[in-house]
Amino acid sequence: MDFLKKVLPVYTDDTRMQQKGFFTNFFHTRPEYYTNAEYVEVDVKRGSRKIAPTLRDWRTGAPVVMPNSWKENKFKPPYSAMKDPIDLSELMQRQFGETDDGEPLSDYLGRQVMTRSSNEIGFWFGRLSNIVTGVLKDYHEMFKRTMELQCAQVMQTGAVTLKDEEGNTSFSLDFGMKASHKPGVAINWGASGATPMDDIESLCNVVANDGQCQPEILILGNTAWKHLLADSTFQARVKKDSLGLGSVVPSLRKDGGIYHGTCDFGTHVLEIWTYGGTYQNLGSSADVPYLDENAAIVTARPEALDFRLVFGGVPRVHGMDEPFREVVPATVVYPGSVKVYNRVWEDKEKDTYTAESKMRGLAVPVSIDRFGCIDTHSN
């Protein structure tokens, strides 16, 4: 176990894995969100703007007032799994980070390793460990991108739709985002007569009223940002803003997003962000943007949102095969991100070791009324 504690940072301390996706930053995890259950239960309660009544006569007693309605939701997180059978003949091939003579420079812990001449079995196991660790870390990154996609979909549509390896929809879940929180526009942005400033202000008012919060962040797809920059009302407001609230400042990058400054939309002051991150579906080399180029998301700040990443259990009967039982962590939790289950087993007849990773994660927007998304090209 002590050795496993030393191995775990090989995964969790990797700089690639420490980075969270832009949309994942709006979601959070807690220890209780990592479960071993088939289903996860989340109670969703919508806000209210009612005030307390004043009695005509205190002797009449208090009126009966029902509490705000709430709904118990039971969700089944989608199941993801990947594996790679590693033929031992691959150990004869040059690996990443090796010298020309085939001797590895270091092992998966970054230490100088033994040479083939010093220990034959240890040499081959070191090479196999490097391959297995590399495969699993690649899988873990893919799981992170899957959760980033879920978070992006939730904030644009209020729903999650995932596909299998053949491109068919394998999981779909609608969280019930109100239609008023995903409006279209009367005139497409960029066209004559478009009113992007009014469209954004209108959605801000909806989010503020329904969510009982202050919308403070605007996230724009690349095309939506281009059209907003070209809007004459936006240009005039930036020039006339003596407080400097609307000054477009040099870009500040944060996990793939670009910060452009702030601007007022009616009574609301929003940070302006763009996000051009992309992913690729399994079996495809085409880049797909996480954020639709015509999308304009209005949301409260992350600390005012109850957006959760929840994880279900993955049943396991067979554990890790030797000699990887003390080398590969069976479970890896990346703080604020994903929980992954690993397994490595041997097929002696085929002379292979199979490395496998599994995850059951779901992005849940409990604060379903505290954000919205405009389709700026709905006509």
Side-chain angles (χ1 to χ4, degrees):
M1 186 61 66
D2 290 339
F3 184 71
L4 278 178
K5 290 180 180 179
K6 296 179 180 179
V7 174
L8 192 59
V10 175
Y11 297 87
T12 57
D13 289 358
D14 189 309
T15 54
R16 296 176 302 171
M17 296 305 298
Q18 289 179 346
Q19 294 177 340
K20 295 176 63 175
F22 178 78
F23 283 109
T24 308
N25 281 287
F26 289 88
F27 290 70
H28 68 277
T29 60
R30 294 177 180 173
E32 59 266 31
Y33 299 167
Y34 298 108
T35 76
N36 289 318
E38 177 75 358
Y39 292 87
V40 294
E41 296 183 1
V42 178
D43 295 338
V44 177
K45 185 176 183 179
R46 293 189 183 274
S48 171
R49 298 184 297 278
K50 295 182 177 65
I51 63 173
T54 301
L55 301 182
R56 290 177 179 270
D57 188 332
W58 65 270
R59 290 171 296 184
T60 62
V64 176
V65 178
M66 299 301 293
N68 295 339
S69 61
W70 63 280
K71 182 179 180 182
E72 179 185 34
N73 292 279
K74 182 181 288 187
F75 304 116
K76 185 177 182 179
Y79 186 91
S80 301
M82 293 174 287
K83 63 181 180 181
D84 181 21
I86 303 168
D87 194 301
L88 292 185
S89 63
E90 295 182 31
L91 304 185
M92 301 293 295
Q93 303 172 10
R94 183 182 181 277
Q95 305 298 328
F96 177 79
E98 289 183 338
T99 58
D100 292 337
D101 60 3
E103 298 288 3
L105 297 176
S106 60
D107 67 356
Y108 57 96
L109 288 175
R111 304 171 303 187
Q112 185 68 35
V113 300
M114 61 193 73
T115 63
R116 186 183 315 180
S117 57
S118 63
N119 187 314
E120 186 78 13
I121 299 299
F123 172 81
W124 294 119
F125 177 64
R127 294 175 69 81
L128 179 59
S129 296
N130 277 331
I131 295 175
V132 167
T133 303
V135 167
L136 294 179
K137 289 171 72 172
D138 285 345
Y139 288 167
H140 295 184
E141 275 200 279
M142 294 172 71
F143 288 140
K144 278 191 60 181
R145 286 191 286 269
T146 295
M147 295 309 299
E148 172 72 359
L149 175 60
Q150 288 192 36
C151 296
Q153 290 180 343
V154 163
M155 295 189 71
Q156 292 174 84
T157 66
V160 172
T161 302
L162 303 176
K163 298 180 179 180
D164 60 19
E165 66 276 12
E166 296 179 355
N168 302 314
T169 299
S170 58
F171 180 87
S172 181
L173 178 60
D174 192 332
F175 292 102
M177 184 179 180
K178 292 179 180 178
S180 58
H181 285 247
K182 41 186 176 181
V185 292
I187 302 176
N188 291 340
W189 288 14
S192 176
T195 56
M197 299 293 288
D198 292 341
D199 294 335
I200 295 171
E201 181 183 354
S202 177
L203 181 56
C204 285
N205 292 334
V206 170
V207 170
N209 290 331
D210 289 349
Q212 288 297 282
C213 67
Q214 180 60 52
E216 296 186 56
I217 294 177
L218 173 65
I219 309 169
L220 299 165
N222 291 334
T223 300
W225 170 236
K226 179 181 68 174
H227 289 154
L228 182 60
L229 276 176
D231 180 73
S232 57
T233 304
F234 177 76
Q235 294 172 356
R237 190 162 298 179
V238 171
K239 292 178 181 178
K240 294 179 181 179
D241 187 358
S242 59
L243 296 178
L245 295 176
S247 301
V248 178
V249 300
S251 299
L252 301 174
R253 298 183 180 273
K254 179 178 174 63
D255 293 323
I258 302 177
Y259 174 69
H260 297 277
T262 60
C263 184
D264 62 312
F265 298 84
T267 60
H268 308 281
V269 180
L270 304 181
E271 293 182 6
I272 303 174
W273 291 81
T274 56
Y275 180 56
T278 62
Y279 66 94
Q280 295 180 351
N281 288 304
L282 192 64
S284 172
S285 59
D287 290 330
V288 182
Y290 288 105
L291 177 62
D292 187 278
E293 64 179 4
N294 292 301
I297 298 173
V298 170
T299 178
R301 301 187 72 82
E303 53 267 28
L305 298 171
D306 187 358
F307 285 0
R308 306 180 187 181
L309 299 182
V310 298
F311 295 85
V314 174
R316 293 171 292 170
V317 177
H318 301 288
M320 199 86 60
D321 277 6
E322 293 289 2
F324 285 94
R325 191 166 297 162
E326 296 298 326
V327 175
V328 176
T331 304
V332 179
V333 176
Y334 294 96
S337 187
V338 301
K339 179 180 182 179
V340 181
Y341 299 87
N342 298 319
R343 189 161 73 98
V344 181
W345 69 91
E346 180 185 13
D347 186 330
K348 294 183 179 180
E349 291 186 2
K350 296 182 179 180
D351 216 16
T352 63
Y353 277 89
T354 299
E356 178 185 69
S357 284
K358 298 179 179 180
M359 181 194 72
R360 290 187 61 219
L362 181 63
V364 180
V366 178
S367 303
I368 192 65
D369 290 337
R370 294 196 164 189
F371 68 101
C373 181
I374 304 170
D375 180 355
T376 67
H377 200 268
S378 56
N379 292 310

